Amino acid sequence: MEKQILELLIGLSTEVKGMRGDINDLKTESKSMRADINDLKSETSGLRVEMNEMKLDMTEMKSDMVVMKADMTEMKSDMVVMKADMT
């Protein structure tokens, strides 16, 4: 009977050690996943900054195009006036 109890205790001890190993593996994987998530957060932050910069650039370009269009319209009007003066 004592031998059976001892065998059960040894088996239980082995099982607990295996579970501890599994728990340590899970902790390691969890730390790795946290690091990956933090990296993704940093990359996402960087992308947001770049996208905001692109939006600003596009807004400036749109504004420049509006100004150019106005300048071209004015030049066209001036050319019509000059042509009328020549005739």
Side-chain angles (χ1 to χ4, degrees):
M1 182 75 160
E2 288 179 17
K3 184 177 180 182
Q4 289 175 334
I5 293 173
L6 185 59
E7 287 174 359
L8 286 173
L9 288 173
I10 290 172
L12 185 59
S13 175
T14 302
E15 206 169 309
V16 168
K17 286 179 184 176
M19 289 173 67
R20 282 184 187 158
D22 291 344
I23 288 171
N24 286 335
D25 289 346
L26 286 171
K27 284 181 182 177
T28 301
E29 289 176 22
S30 175
K31 286 179 184 177
S32 176
M33 287 176 66
R34 283 185 191 146
D36 290 345
I37 288 171
N38 286 334
D39 289 346
L40 283 171
K41 284 181 182 178
S42 294
E43 289 177 22
T44 302
S45 235
L47 286 172
R48 280 190 192 133
V49 168
E50 288 180 22
M51 286 178 67
N52 285 334
E53 289 174 356
M54 284 178 62
K55 283 181 184 178
L56 288 173
D57 289 346
M58 289 178 72
T59 301
E60 288 178 18
M61 286 175 62
K62 187 176 179 181
S63 176
D64 289 347
M65 289 176 70
V66 168
V67 170
M68 278 179 52
K69 185 176 178 183
D71 288 347
M72 290 176 73
T73 302
E74 185 180 337
M75 286 174 61
K76 186 176 178 183
S77 295
D78 290 346
M79 290 176 76
V80 168
V81 169
M82 286 173 63
K83 186 176 180 183
D85 288 344
M86 293 178 130
T87 55

